[in-house]
């Protein structure tokens, strides 16, 4: 059991989530233990960054390509805000703008959203699961199109802390980021289930898609986005792919749709195939590590540093039968 003092530092109140999804009450203890230095050595630093955010009132919110919060702030408040947000490096998903501070994230996540959104069943009043949600950027975009509730699941604690920073101002009980792996959350069904950028990181990708199916309401929609290869055969990279160690298999487009079909989904459609460019994924002052340009072959940007085809991503949608 965590000590009592721990709870005084436990900042997220998950009660409204448990009211919306009573089956997840059982997660309370594992969630409490996520917010600790035992889980990540930098937790206390991140938590003080969130606590150091200045108190500011939001006058206007735009959940558009750049998720923007507007309101009055003095120069010194803006300096404090920017310093606290920078302590939550690396900002991989975005962009955001808070009181004039522009967070230019590694990814132009708005580009991915623009590719996905035309193919979604209307999200109005829907309950949505976003597996591997990062800092919850897409959840804000889902609220823009009137989703009722978005639950993001992502085990990387820093992304949950970034979400806390944004939500310190938005105070939303509609967009959640839960710092647990998908495999650890009890099955509850959602109207739309997203898994974007996750399946090729799974050693058992088909099991991942089967699990997505169990979380999908009959009649509900799956949105599966993945790296793909445009060849007949899927690619099983060696030690690394585009300098990433944890890429186990990059499916061909045919294999990706087969995973979706064998899970039980119908009306399957490949709605987008797009090469990822260094304009979409790159280092910025808010993500100072190497990014896609450094992961491409120096003499041939159509190949990765290891000589594999450069990243191409596909979006597949499917429906669970009624
Ligand atoms: C490439 S990022 C994709 C983020 C976002 N969905 C997007 O499309 O931009 C993969 C994300 O999956 C998360 N992830 C890795 N293993 C996971 C798991 N077992 N359950 C849920 N999320 C996971 C990572 O922490 C990371 O944020």
């Amino acid at each position: 059991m965590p000590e009592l003092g721990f709870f005084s530092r436990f900042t997220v109140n998950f009660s409204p989530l448990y009211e919306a999804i009573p089956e997840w009450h059982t997660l309370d203890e594992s969630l409490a233990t996520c917010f600790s230095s035992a889980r990540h050595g930098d937790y206390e630093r991140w938590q003080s960054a969130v606590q150091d955010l200045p108190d500011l009132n939001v006058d206007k919110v735009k959940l558009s390509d750049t998720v923007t919060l507007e309101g009055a702030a003095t120069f010194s408040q803006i300096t404090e805000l920017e310093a606290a947000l920078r302590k939550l490096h690396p900002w991989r998903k975005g962009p955001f703008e808070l009181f004039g501070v522009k967070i230019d994230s590694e990814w132009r996540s708005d580009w991915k959203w623009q590719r996905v959104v035309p193919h979604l069943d209307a999200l109005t009043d829907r309950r949505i699961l976003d597996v591997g949600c990062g800092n919850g950027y897409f959840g804000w975009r889902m609220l823009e199109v009137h989703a009722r509730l978005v639950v993001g699941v992502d085990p990387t604690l820093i992304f949950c802390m970034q979400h806390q920073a944004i939500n310190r101002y938005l105070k939303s009980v509609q967009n959640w980021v839960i710092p647990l792996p998908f495999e650890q959350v009890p099955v509850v069904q959602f109207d739309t289930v997203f898994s974007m950028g996750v399946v090729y990181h799974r050693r058992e990708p088909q099991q991942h898609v089967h699990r997505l199916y169990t979380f999908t309401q009959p009649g509900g929609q799956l949105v599966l986005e993945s790296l793909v290869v445009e060849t007949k055969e899927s690619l099983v990279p060696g030690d690394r792919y585009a300098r990433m160690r944890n890429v186990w298999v990059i499916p061909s487009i045919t294999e990706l749709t087969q995973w979706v079909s064998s899970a039980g989904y119908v009306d399957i459609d490949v709605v987008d195939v797009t090469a990822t460019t260094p304009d979409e994924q790159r280092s910025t002052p808010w993500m100072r590590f190497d990014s896609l340009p450094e992961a491409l072959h120096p003499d041939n940007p159509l190949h990765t540093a290891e000589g594999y085809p450069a990243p191409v991503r596909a979006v597949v949608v499917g429906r669970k039968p009624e």
Side-chain angles (χ1 to χ4, degrees):
M1 279 289 286
E3 309 159 23
L4 266 184
F6 172 80
F7 284 104
S8 62
R9 306 201 309 274
F10 178 53
T11 50
V12 187
N13 174 14
F14 284 104
S15 309
L17 176 65
Y18 304 145
E19 272 167 39
I21 306 181
E23 299 90 332
W24 282 8
H25 238 290
T26 53
L27 287 180
D28 200 39
E29 201 164 316
S30 31
L31 281 176
T33 56
C34 286
F35 296 100
S36 74
S37 304
R39 168 75 183 271
H40 198 291
D42 286 329
Y43 172 68
E44 302 228 339
R45 196 168 59 80
W46 296 333
Q47 195 203 26
S48 28
V50 173
Q51 284 169 349
D52 287 348
L53 290 165
D55 289 325
L56 296 168
N57 290 325
V58 179
D59 297 331
K60 193 167 176 192
V61 176
K62 293 185 208 151
L63 301 178
S64 47
D65 285 348
T66 299
V67 171
T68 303
L69 282 55
E70 290 176 2
T74 64
F75 180 77
S76 83
Q77 285 173 320
I78 289 175
T79 307
E80 279 172 49
L81 173 69
E82 180 159 352
L85 293 171
R86 283 192 186 275
K87 286 185 192 152
L88 300 175
H89 178 271
W91 286 82
R92 293 195 181 271
K93 308 301 165 182
F96 295 93
E97 183 175 333
L98 278 67
F99 305 93
V101 176
K102 293 185 170 71
I103 302 179
D104 184 13
S105 50
E106 176 189 19
W107 281 87
R108 291 294 308 264
S109 308
D110 50 324
W111 294 9
K112 186 181 283 194
W113 185 243
Q114 282 161 14
R115 293 194 292 267
V116 166
V117 77
H119 309 289
L120 301 179
D121 291 348
L123 296 189
T124 307
D125 213 28
R126 286 205 164 207
R127 208 163 84 147
I128 294 161
L129 177 67
D130 184 6
V131 176
C133 64
N135 63 22
Y137 169 86
F138 293 112
W140 301 119
R141 306 307 309 276
M142 293 171 200
L143 294 188
E144 181 190 27
V145 288
H146 311 297
R148 174 157 47 101
L149 177 72
V150 183
V151 186
V153 179
D154 198 305
T156 307
L157 191 56
I158 179 62
F159 302 148
C160 183
M161 302 309 290
Q162 291 172 357
H163 177 256
Q164 282 185 28
I166 307 286
N167 210 25
R168 159 95 185 253
Y169 296 111
L170 282 172
K171 301 180 174 40
S172 172
V173 291
Q174 287 179 285
N175 182 20
W176 296 88
V177 173
I178 291 185
L180 290 174
F182 178 41
E183 299 70 36
Q184 279 180 26
V185 296
V187 178
V188 168
Q189 293 190 329
F190 291 82
D191 301 309
T192 307
V193 172
F194 288 82
S195 166
M196 302 195 287
V198 179
V199 72
Y200 50 86
H201 288 311
R202 303 302 305 160
R203 282 176 194 264
E204 310 275 2
Q206 281 186 274
Q207 272 183 23
H208 177 77
V209 183
H210 273 278
R211 190 163 171 81
L212 296 170
Y213 188 80
T214 63
F215 279 75
T216 312
Q217 190 76 29
Q221 190 179 32
L222 168 75
V223 182
L224 180 64
E225 192 255 10
S226 178
L227 282 172
V228 289
V229 283
E230 295 178 290
T231 47
K232 232 170 132 198
E233 298 294 319
S234 299
L235 171 68
V236 178
D239 191 32
R240 292 179 184 222
Y241 172 83
R243 293 192 163 179
M244 292 181 282
R245 276 193 189 283
N246 55 352
V247 175
W248 304 106
V249 59
I250 302 183
S252 65
I253 296 173
T254 308
E255 185 168 17
L256 185 66
T257 56
Q258 277 165 358
W259 291 345
V260 174
S261 159
S262 69
Y265 291 101
V266 294
D267 299 339
I268 297 160
D269 207 355
V270 180
V271 294
D272 186 77
V273 179
T274 299
T276 308
T277 66
D279 290 332
E280 183 171 355
Q281 186 191 10
R282 74 282 189 248
S283 312
T284 73
W286 292 85
M287 205 306 289
R288 298 184 304 272
F289 304 140
D290 286 352
S291 183
L292 181 59
E294 296 75 25
L296 296 178
H297 198 283
D299 303 327
N300 182 356
L302 295 176
H303 287 158
T304 66
E306 304 82 11
Y308 297 121
V312 172
R313 294 173 174 265
V315 179
V316 179
V317 296
R319 183 174 325 289
K320 182 164 177 170
E322 295 279 357

